[in-house]
Amino acid sequence: MKKSEQILKRLESLHPKQIDLSLERTLNLLNKVGNPQKKLPPTIHVAGTNGKGSTIAFLRSIFEENNYKVQVYTSPHLINFNERIRINSKLISNELLISLLEECEFYNKKNPITFFEITTVAAYLGFSRIESDVLLLETGLGGRFDATNVIPTTICSVITPISMDHMSFLGNSIKSITKEKVGIFKKNIPAVISKQDKEAIKVIREESKKKKVKLFEYSKYWEISKINKAFFHLKIENEFLKIPMPNLFGNHQLYNSGTAMTVAKIQKQFSLKDKLTFQGIKKTFWPARMQKIESGKLKSIIGQDFEIWLDGGHNEHASNMLLDNIKKWKEENLFLIFGMLSNKEPREFLNKIINYFRSIYVVPIANHSFISTQQIKQIYKEKKDIIKPSLSVIETLRVLKREYKKGKIIICGSLYLAGDVLKENESLID
């Protein structure tokens, strides 16, 4: 086990017995290490339920293509923890990560603190000590009491689509969840708002008035219009932009890229050229978001007559995005490899898409409590004959290869499952 992994394992043991969403533990530790949250580069803070990571990936690519030095904080990771922290566009080195974690561990002195809280402090330490042009910051859970929300100010807030998720922490309605997400708003700091439902946008507007936040809303300030195979049209205020289709698959990524493009357009302190910005959008890559697996161990098992698509989505909104793609494939042999954590709601994810699949294979998720085949069969009794248990993704691929000649395989239901798949496939994230 690497030294960084040993330290991370120790930090996990500090987890408080009861989770209370609070900034107190994070602020206490930040104070002990010199308040690095007050020494960060200009920061763009992103909250929402879906599309946060993809939006940040687009923003990162936009700034990098324009030759800016970019720091990034995202979660969770898929294969290695280092994926969460990018220092000037490179994954944090093991040496620097170990140094930062050990410093936080020393000053925390075994006091109760969540894994996300203490690793966020470590990230802020790293970001504060290395000069950069911009920091892209993703919330972990919610917004108002998220460990990232200790920063005194930002240059822009971003709210991506909000839907039902993490209800045990954030509440059982879109209204309550949105109230938590807009907790990242800072007084007099603008906010770019992705496409939202009516209930969410009402809360967003109410909160923006309290903090004098200028909103750049979808459909009011920016909008996606014409879409074809090569380009899509984006209207930002009175400007019409013809943008090449991104490499990230699915129409929902047009909205994520549109959000990022709008953020870029309102940042007057940066000199962003449209040509380079468009190149950045086209080149963006974000793993496990409708990612086509075109090489590696898994592809060698299944062969060229099958396609493998990997997606970490696990809620209703993610299911809707998946459905848009599945509808295009309805004449194909479609197979689902499904794994979901036991604290999630499989009905919300499966209800709209289940009828499109010829077979559904339910797989375990390593080192986590997961939903069983029997539970899925109990929910969908009329579908029980096509719902099958499998010991692993690899076993499922071998079965499909043996029983069918061709088809499309979607692996989804959890980012943890997606991470296991990429690791099994010996994929690299750099």
Side-chain angles (χ1 to χ4, degrees):
M1 186 185 289
K2 293 179 190 174
K3 189 174 181 182
S4 58
E5 291 172 350
Q6 292 172 346
I7 300 169
L8 290 165
K9 199 173 180 72
R10 287 202 303 269
L11 296 180
E12 284 179 339
S13 70
L14 300 175
H15 206 82
K17 289 178 181 175
Q18 282 189 319
I19 291 290
D20 59 311
L21 291 182
S22 162
L23 298 179
E24 187 178 348
R25 291 181 296 266
T26 308
L27 287 167
N28 284 342
L29 181 54
L30 283 165
N31 189 51
K32 291 175 185 176
V33 298
N35 288 309
Q37 78 279 13
K38 296 179 181 179
K39 306 164 192 172
L40 299 174
T43 300
I44 297 169
H45 201 184
V46 182
T49 309
N50 297 280
K52 297 191 299 292
S54 297
T55 300
I56 284 179
F58 281 116
L59 281 168
R60 178 187 147 212
S61 190
I62 286 169
F63 280 108
E64 287 174 353
E65 201 68 20
N66 281 276
N67 296 311
Y68 285 100
K69 293 182 288 185
V70 187
Q71 295 178 343
V72 186
Y73 187 56
T74 57
S75 61
H77 60 277
L78 291 168
I79 300 175
N80 296 310
F81 180 88
N82 306 57
E83 297 163 33
R84 297 184 182 215
I85 303 171
R86 287 181 181 269
I87 305 284
N88 290 341
S89 302
K90 300 291 184 185
L91 294 184
I92 190 169
S93 68
N94 278 325
E95 293 75 19
L96 179 55
L97 179 60
I98 288 165
S99 170
L100 296 170
L101 292 174
E102 286 182 334
E103 187 172 348
C104 290
E105 187 178 34
F106 173 81
Y107 282 102
N108 188 64
K109 300 190 185 302
K110 297 189 177 180
N111 288 316
I113 192 165
T114 72
F115 180 79
F116 186 73
E117 288 164 351
I118 196 167
T119 52
T120 298
V121 174
Y124 282 173
L125 265 181
F127 295 145
S128 71
R129 291 173 178 172
I130 297 172
E131 188 179 340
S132 190
D133 297 312
V134 64
L135 168 60
L136 307 176
L137 188 63
E138 179 188 358
T139 58
L141 181 63
R144 184 164 60 115
F145 292 120
D146 187 78
T148 62
N149 201 31
V150 292
I151 48 178
T153 192
T154 62
I155 58 171
C156 185
S157 303
V158 182
I159 305 294
T160 65
I162 294 170
S163 63
M164 302 296 284
D165 206 1
H166 300 296
M167 283 88 81
S168 57
F169 293 108
L170 305 179
N172 289 309
S173 69
I174 291 293
K175 182 177 180 180
S176 62
I177 291 170
T178 305
K179 280 186 175 179
E180 295 300 321
K181 305 286 185 186
V182 296
I184 70 165
F185 282 178
K186 300 291 185 285
K187 193 170 183 181
N188 295 316
I189 299 297
V192 173
I193 311 301
S194 300
K195 193 175 183 181
Q196 306 286 349
D197 72 14
K198 289 180 182 177
E199 197 173 4
I201 204 67
K202 183 180 178 185
V203 174
I204 290 168
R205 288 170 182 166
E206 287 170 356
E207 188 63 20
S208 70
K209 287 176 184 174
K210 292 177 191 173
K211 293 186 177 176
K212 298 180 180 177
V213 170
K214 183 177 180 180
L215 296 182
F216 295 86
E217 287 180 39
Y218 182 80
S219 81
K220 277 197 162 186
Y221 183 82
W222 68 277
E223 196 164 19
I224 303 289
S225 57
K226 191 190 295 183
I227 300 169
N228 59 42
K229 287 185 178 180
F231 295 91
F232 69 99
H233 291 236
L234 174 64
K235 177 178 176 286
I236 299 180
E237 200 170 25
N238 297 317
E239 188 176 7
F240 291 84
L241 303 167
K242 185 180 178 183
I243 301 176
M245 292 293 280
N247 288 333
L248 288 184
F249 188 78
N251 281 353
H252 62 293
Q253 295 295 2
L254 305 185
Y255 293 90
N256 292 332
S257 65
T259 302
M261 187 74 199
T262 306
V263 173
K265 278 288 183 182
I266 68 171
Q267 302 310 312
K268 302 306 180 187
Q269 69 269 55
F270 297 101
S271 179
L272 300 173
K273 296 179 173 60
D274 279 354
K275 183 179 178 182
L276 295 175
T277 298
F278 296 170
Q279 287 174 12
I281 286 175
K282 183 170 180 58
K283 289 162 66 172
T284 299
F285 174 71
W286 190 234
R289 277 70 175 183
M290 281 308 287
Q291 178 184 352
K292 191 176 183 181
I293 305 294
E294 300 191 81
S295 61
K297 184 178 177 181
L298 301 185
K299 187 62 179 173
S300 67
I301 289 171
I302 198 66
Q304 295 304 313
D305 294 327
F306 289 82
E307 291 181 6
I308 307 174
W309 292 84
L310 179 65
D311 193 84
H314 52 263
N315 56 31
E316 185 177 7
H317 188 275
S319 175
N320 288 334
M321 299 303 101
L322 201 55
L323 180 61
D324 286 343
N325 296 313
I326 290 171
K327 283 178 177 177
K328 300 170 188 174
W329 298 336
K330 59 187 176 183
E331 72 285 354
E332 301 271 356
N333 269 346
L334 292 184
F335 307 98
L336 181 67
I337 301 177
F338 178 76
M340 180 171 274
L341 298 184
S342 56
N343 63 350
K344 300 297 180 184
E345 177 45 70
R347 286 181 187 85
E348 287 184 0
F349 186 81
L350 290 173
N351 273 354
K352 293 179 182 177
I353 64 174
I354 193 166
N355 290 327
Y356 288 86
F357 293 101
R358 187 161 185 168
S359 300
I360 297 167
Y361 297 85
V362 182
V363 295
I365 302 174
N367 304 313
H368 291 86
S369 175
F370 55 88
I371 291 169
S372 69
T373 311
Q374 201 54 42
Q375 286 173 282
I376 302 297
K377 284 191 173 190
Q378 280 295 111
I379 297 168
Y380 300 103
K381 291 177 182 175
E382 75 286 359
K383 294 278 182 184
K384 64 181 181 182
D385 291 340
I386 69 163
I387 299 168
K388 305 171 183 182
S390 181
L391 294 175
S392 69
V393 170
I394 283 181
E395 179 190 86
T396 309
L397 294 180
R398 286 176 176 148
V399 168
L400 290 172
K401 173 78 170 173
R402 191 168 59 244
E403 295 184 0
Y404 299 94
K405 291 182 178 179
K406 63 178 183 176
K408 285 185 169 69
I409 301 160
I410 298 176
I411 307 171
C412 63
S414 167
L415 275 171
Y416 294 103
L417 174 63
D420 290 343
V421 168
L422 291 173
K423 188 182 287 188
E424 190 76 56
N425 196 51
E426 299 169 356
S427 300
L428 295 176
I429 297 175
D430 54 22

